[in-house]
Amino acid sequence: MRISCDDILQAMTHVRPLVAATPQYRWPLLNDALGCDALVKHENHAPTGAFKIRGGLNYFAQLATQGAQRGVVCATRGNHGQSVAMAGALHGFEVHVVVPNGNNREKNAAMRALGARVIEHGSDFQAAREHASELARTHGWHQVPAFHPALVAGVATYAWELLTSPNVPDVVYVPVGMGSGLCGMIAARDALGLRTEIVGVVSAHAPAYAHAFFSGVDTEAAAETRLADGLACRRTDPDALAMIRRGASRIVMVSDDEVASAMQLLFACTHNVAEGAGAASLAAALQEKKELRGRRVGIVVTGGNVDSRTFADVLGRDAALAEAA
């Protein structure tokens, strides 16, 4: 799959009316912690609190011209579903989203507020995805995939903003769920003809893409992360894997504990809230901080949709440890 410069600029015409360019800031305290010059791309400031809305706007702008069924369904842990709900409603579609049982309640509420019908099914994203396929077949609904060229081109607009900034990063860390965010970065980098190194970040507790990156074979692995639900992919997508292996330099795995520490640090240094998946990029940069000295580093905070109780627990970890000591 190839995404051209024209594809991204065309997507921008669908994205920009509703999504202003998100901030990208240098934070002195964060730079001190990393020991390098870091630029944070704040996709947590997007209208749905995550980068996914960019892909949804481009996807539905195209779908609306194709005479598709007005009923659509997708599987999600929350951010993709919010994108589909918002963009689908904008074009007059009836949106159904399938989430795993026990999914983030605040993300479920946000999707309902955007007009979607939320259906709980299965123990993880893959089970929800299979149920969404069954519902699509049964009801004749259009199934919105988690990975598609139109989604990648839309998502690539965030990367375009970052990579056309005055000081282009030497290396960028991007979290990986189903792969659209990382592939969007690869597409923008290649379209611009840059040499920026792109590093994918997966949860050590959901390592399917890491294993597949090394083996070159589509892989299934347990997705057991407790904190980074946006990275809880059990099975890789072949098109995403091919693009990632072609364009990323490596995959870094981060633990839930490392993600929690990154969420704490990001809040302490910038007062920004990141969900687990959104903080994974910072967790990877911290893991590799010795190799980053003297380099300009891009940190993509892909989303901030963490539920209140989880975030309170994460911020309270240090205090609990101090009291125990």
Side-chain angles (χ1 to χ4, degrees), residues 5 43 45-46 133 150 201 266:
C5 179
E43 287 298 287
H45 290 207
S133 296
V201 185
L266 193 71

Side-chain angles (χ1 to χ4, degrees), residues 17 53 61 102 112 148 161 197 206 209 219 238 249 275 293:
I53 183 57
R112 291 190 182 101
H148 184 276
E161 293 165 10
E197 180 185 9
Y209 268 103
T219 302
S249 66
E275 60 190 273
R293 290 173 184 163

Side-chain angles (χ1 to χ4, degrees), residues 172-178 182 198-204 206 209-210 228 230-231 244 248 250-255 258-259 276-285 287-288 298-300 302:
V172 181
Y173 289 88
V174 185
V176 184
M178 284 303 294
L182 180 57
I198 298 173
V199 181
V201 185
V202 305
S203 170
Y209 268 103
L231 306 184
I244 290 167
R250 62 186 180 281
I251 299 287
V252 175
M253 292 193 288
V254 294
S255 69
E258 288 175 306
V259 166
S281 50
L282 176 57
Q287 191 183 113
E288 299 192 341
I299 305 291
V300 182
T302 50

Side-chain angles (χ1 to χ4, degrees), residues 157-174:
T157 60
Y158 92 84
W160 189 275
E161 293 165 10
L162 180 64
L163 296 177
T164 55
S165 62
N167 295 304
V168 178
D170 299 314
V171 55
V172 181
Y173 289 88
V174 185

Side-chain angles (χ1 to χ4, degrees), residues 269-290:
C269 293
T270 76
H271 288 172
N272 271 264
V273 175
E275 60 190 273
S281 50
L282 176 57
L286 288 165
Q287 191 183 113
E288 299 192 341
K289 62 183 290 186
K290 289 182 181 178

Side-chain angles (χ1 to χ4, degrees), residues 199-278:
V199 181
V201 185
V202 305
S203 170
H205 315 290
Y209 268 103
H211 294 169
F213 184 82
F214 294 123
S215 70
V217 178
D218 275 297
T219 302
E220 183 169 330
E224 298 174 336
T225 171
R226 304 181 311 278
L227 190 54
D229 57 352
L231 306 184
C233 162
R234 174 155 53 99
R235 183 178 300 166
T236 55
D237 180 280
D239 292 333
L241 178 61
M243 193 168 183
I244 290 167
R245 294 192 81 236
R246 186 174 66 246
S249 66
R250 62 186 180 281
I251 299 287
V252 175
M253 292 193 288
V254 294
S255 69
D256 280 352
D257 286 344
E258 288 175 306
V259 166
S261 295
M263 292 168 72
Q264 291 173 335
L265 182 64
L266 193 71
F267 186 75
C269 293
T270 76
H271 288 172
N272 271 264
V273 175
E275 60 190 273

Side-chain angles (χ1 to χ4, degrees), residues 289-306:
K289 62 183 290 186
K290 289 182 181 178
E291 290 76 37
L292 298 179
R293 290 173 184 163
R295 306 187 76 187
R296 293 192 300 270
V297 179
I299 305 291
V300 182
V301 177
T302 50
N305 294 321
V306 58

